[in-house]
Amino acid sequence: AHAAETLLDKARSGRCTIDRSGLDLILASADMLGRLVQQLQGGEPPVQGEMRRLIARLGAVAAGRSIDLPMPTLQASAAASAIAKAQARVGAIPASTQPSDAVTRLDPAPASASVRATAEAPSELQRCDSSVRVPTTRIDSLLGMASELAIAQRIVQQDLATIARSNQPLQDNFRRMSKIVRELQDVAMSLRMVALKPTFQKMARLVRDLGIRQNKSIELLIKGDDVELDRSVVEAIADALIHLIRNACDHGIESAAERRKAGKPAHGTLSLRALQDGATVIIEVSDDGRGLHRDRILRTCVEKDLIPAHRDTAHLSDAEVYEFLLAPGFSTAERITDLSGRGVGLDVVRANIEALRGRIEIRSTPGQGSIFSLRLPLTTAIIDGTIVRVGDQRFVIPTLAIEQTIRPTASDVCTMFGSREMAMVRGSLLPIRRLKQIFGLNEGVDPLCDGLLVVLESSGQRCCVFVDEMLGQQRVVIKSLAQDTPRSRSATGAVILGDGRMALIIDVNALVQQTTHAAAAAA
């Protein structure tokens, strides 16, 4: 630590210049310190000779000398370590993983304010008092209790609905209580929100080390790292980002020679960007590499029996072709390396993003690069939902996915491609799905003119869902469904309504994709 500090101090004062090899030494020192800390926690100690060589090299560079000592082998640094950990967790990334003694910082003051020594001035100590370190388990308990309070409040309100109609003061008190409960939920949720900056900053080291291993010059651009997400979501997407960045560095960005031949700068550019769109956060991983090749993807699909060899693929859009990249085991790698070709593909990323009620979108221009977009909810605990009825059953549709609702007339609907029901909505012919058929219900109205069509939008695609009635909107607390639940594929969770009954939350992404793909196949 002292040897690295001496080098950094001389660089800061201008007494020496740190080049790329000097930066390699500093990063290697950080890795070594990390291993020493792990040793105190029961991990394997570093080799003494390796540590001595690192200290000697740091001293030589700080003194302006050049000595020929090999760099310490720190398991290919953070890149290989991160990739190995991600591969070890493949297929089993939980929505929330946190040690029981973990803490979340509730700090309106600057981060440095709460780590000052007690010998600081009184003003500094006063600033320390404005922050508190709280175990994350307590925050989760607070949110859970706030959510249960909201459910109980709705049940009581439902039970007293008849009395409240004729009692204006009681109605006013219920409205006031509802507002307080909603604000309590918002405050509890805000305590779980963390910025993406720490996660994004870790990717800078990963990109640098991957570039060195592949002999590529890659520049990482980061934007929007101040966007905040639920802590559980941030933890769950870290491995997905590692996978996407690894693919971009390995498959996307070309070597310097290839880039010069294509008229591009010798160094590649990888961008990591986050932006908030309402209750959704979009994280984009983009590169200016070779892009995706449609014909090569289709050829691989035929080889892996993902599509029949005789199928006409000319009518498939680029977005539909890129969807095959997310199929299990899909890989176009020509050789197996520690970065690609192992049969562990983007299907793992897709599965874990969808487990968070998010989705992944792919766009690409051959020769110019690719963009992988992750659309994620701000939180996995609460959503604003629209409650619909089919017979005696209730369902919840995320309000943000609803474009409009219409009561169709006979002239608005038709049957095409044999038995496929379609509806004309603002000049566009959209396929119709009936919730009673999706969930195998023997109740609910049958004539389309007797119910409502809810127009849903996902990833630029639209379809209509037929329901009996729309009952209203409310903020609902999400309860998880077991993966082996018979209806879990059509629902992303469940909620408890004001009357104490359960309602399933519709998986809009899956429903829209299945409906539009089925309509396209029938056409």
Side-chain angles (χ1 to χ4, degrees):
H2 282 297
E5 185 180 13
T6 299
L7 175 58
L8 289 171
D9 182 63
K10 288 191 173 184
R12 182 172 50 201
S13 61
R15 288 178 288 164
C16 75
T17 301
I18 295 182
D19 55 10
R20 179 169 179 169
S21 61
L23 183 57
D24 288 339
L25 277 175
I26 293 170
L27 294 175
S29 301
D31 289 343
M32 181 64 75
L33 288 170
R35 293 171 67 185
L36 291 171
V37 171
Q38 291 175 2
Q39 177 187 354
L40 297 178
Q41 299 171 343
E44 289 293 327
V47 179
Q48 287 293 325
E50 185 180 23
M51 192 158 55
R52 286 196 296 268
R53 287 194 297 271
L54 177 58
I55 294 173
R57 193 175 181 93
L58 286 167
V61 174
R65 302 193 310 271
S66 176
I67 60 175
D68 195 13
L69 286 176
M71 283 292 294
T73 55
L74 295 182
Q75 300 157 353
S77 195
S81 176
I83 292 172
K85 290 178 181 178
Q87 292 174 1
R89 292 193 294 267
V90 151
I93 306 175
S96 176
T97 53
Q98 188 75 3
S100 59
D101 59 346
V103 295
T104 292
R105 185 181 174 76
L106 313 180
D107 191 2
S112 59
S114 65
V115 294
R116 304 284 187 183
T118 55
E120 294 283 357
S123 60
E124 293 292 338
L125 293 177
Q126 291 171 0
R127 281 206 293 269
C128 287
D129 293 340
S130 64
S131 64
V132 181
R133 294 179 67 86
V134 180
T136 54
T137 52
R138 294 186 183 179
I139 296 177
D140 293 340
S141 296
L142 174 62
L143 178 61
M145 287 188 289
S147 301
E148 294 300 326
L149 176 62
I151 294 173
Q153 177 258 331
R154 284 196 295 271
I155 293 176
V156 172
Q157 189 170 0
Q158 183 87 6
D159 291 342
L160 299 179
T162 304
I163 301 175
R165 288 195 196 99
S166 58
N167 191 326
Q168 187 61 43
L170 184 58
Q171 290 186 31
D172 295 339
N173 289 335
F174 268 131
R175 279 194 290 268
R176 189 177 300 111
M177 182 174 66
S178 299
K179 180 182 178 182
I180 294 173
V181 171
R182 186 183 181 97
E183 290 176 350
L184 177 61
Q185 283 184 304
D186 290 338
V187 171
M189 280 305 311
S190 68
L191 299 181
R192 290 168 54 100
M193 305 297 279
V194 296
L196 285 166
K197 186 173 184 177
T199 301
F200 279 14
Q201 286 180 335
K202 293 177 183 178
M203 302 305 160
R205 175 72 187 277
L206 176 65
V207 171
R208 182 183 186 275
D209 291 345
L210 287 173
I212 292 174
R213 293 176 64 192
Q214 296 182 300
N215 196 27
K216 296 178 181 179
S217 177
I218 305 175
E219 178 185 8
L220 177 64
L221 302 179
I222 294 179
K223 296 180 181 179
D225 57 358
D226 57 342
V227 172
E228 292 186 336
L229 271 173
D230 189 297
R231 173 181 55 82
S232 61
V233 178
V234 174
E235 292 168 355
I237 65 172
D239 291 337
L241 290 179
I242 290 175
H243 196 113
L244 293 176
I245 288 174
R246 182 191 65 201
N247 278 0
C249 294
D250 188 27
H251 298 297
I253 296 178
E254 315 94 329
S255 64
E258 289 181 82
R259 294 182 64 85
R260 291 193 190 97
K261 187 176 180 180
K264 298 180 179 180
H267 71 276
T269 301
L270 181 64
S271 296
L272 188 57
R273 184 172 75 111
L275 58 98
Q276 185 172 341
D277 181 15
T280 301
V281 170
I282 303 172
I283 300 177
E284 292 184 346
V285 178
S286 60
D287 64 75
D288 65 346
R290 58 175 61 92
L292 301 175
H293 295 276
R294 176 189 174 100
D295 293 340
R296 185 178 179 186
I297 294 173
L298 291 173
R299 187 165 57 250
T300 303
C301 289
V302 173
E303 294 172 355
K304 295 182 177 294
D305 294 328
L306 296 177
I307 57 176
H310 61 274
R311 180 179 176 182
D312 180 16
T313 57
H315 69 281
L316 293 177
S317 65
D318 288 343
E320 291 174 318
V321 173
Y322 299 154
E323 280 284 317
F324 289 114
L325 294 173
L326 306 175
F330 186 95
S331 176
T332 58
E334 297 178 353
R335 58 190 180 89
I336 297 176
T337 68
D338 57 350
L339 293 180
S340 62
R342 302 168 313 283
V344 178
L346 290 171
D347 61 306
V348 176
V349 176
R350 179 184 196 172
N352 287 283
I353 294 301
E354 290 181 348
L356 297 171
R357 293 187 294 108
R359 64 178 185 267
I360 181 171
E361 301 171 357
I362 305 174
R363 305 190 303 276
S364 180
T365 303
Q368 297 182 22
S370 305
I371 301 176
F372 288 78
S373 299
L374 306 180
R375 290 183 172 268
L376 301 160
L378 282 175
T379 175
T380 58
I382 298 172
I383 63 167
D384 289 318
T386 298
I387 302 173
V388 298
R389 180 181 64 83
V390 177
D392 290 332
Q393 303 299 320
R394 307 291 190 270
F395 298 91
V396 176
I397 302 176
T399 302
L400 290 175
I402 298 178
E403 184 179 285
Q404 63 176 312
T405 59
I406 58 175
R407 186 172 293 278
T409 63
S411 60
D412 294 329
V413 296
C414 63
T415 302
M416 301 179 65
F417 316 121
S419 60
R420 181 68 57 183
E421 294 178 317
M422 310 289 285
M424 183 64 69
V425 180
R426 293 183 179 179
S428 298
L429 203 58
L430 303 180
I432 299 174
R433 289 291 298 277
R434 295 173 179 257
L435 278 189
K436 62 180 297 182
Q437 293 179 350
I438 295 175
F439 292 96
L441 303 177
N442 294 320
E443 52 188 315
V445 300
D446 288 319
L448 293 174
C449 298
D450 293 343
L452 286 176
L453 290 179
V454 183
V455 182
L456 304 179
E457 187 276 334
S458 174
S459 304
Q461 298 178 316
R462 298 188 300 162
C463 75
C464 297
V465 172
F466 180 65
V467 300
D468 292 5
E469 183 184 6
M470 183 176 291
L471 302 180
Q473 298 179 1
Q474 69 180 45
R475 174 173 288 194
V476 294
V477 180
I478 301 172
K479 303 293 185 181
S480 299
L481 291 174
Q483 291 299 319
D484 57 350
T485 302
R487 296 175 178 176
S488 62
R489 291 188 178 183
S490 303
T492 59
V495 302
I496 299 176
L497 301 177
D499 57 2
R501 298 172 61 184
M502 188 191 77
L504 294 176
I505 302 173
I506 302 300
D507 187 345
V508 174
N509 297 335
L511 188 149
V512 173
Q513 288 182 8
Q514 294 169 3
T515 304
T516 54
H517 288 175

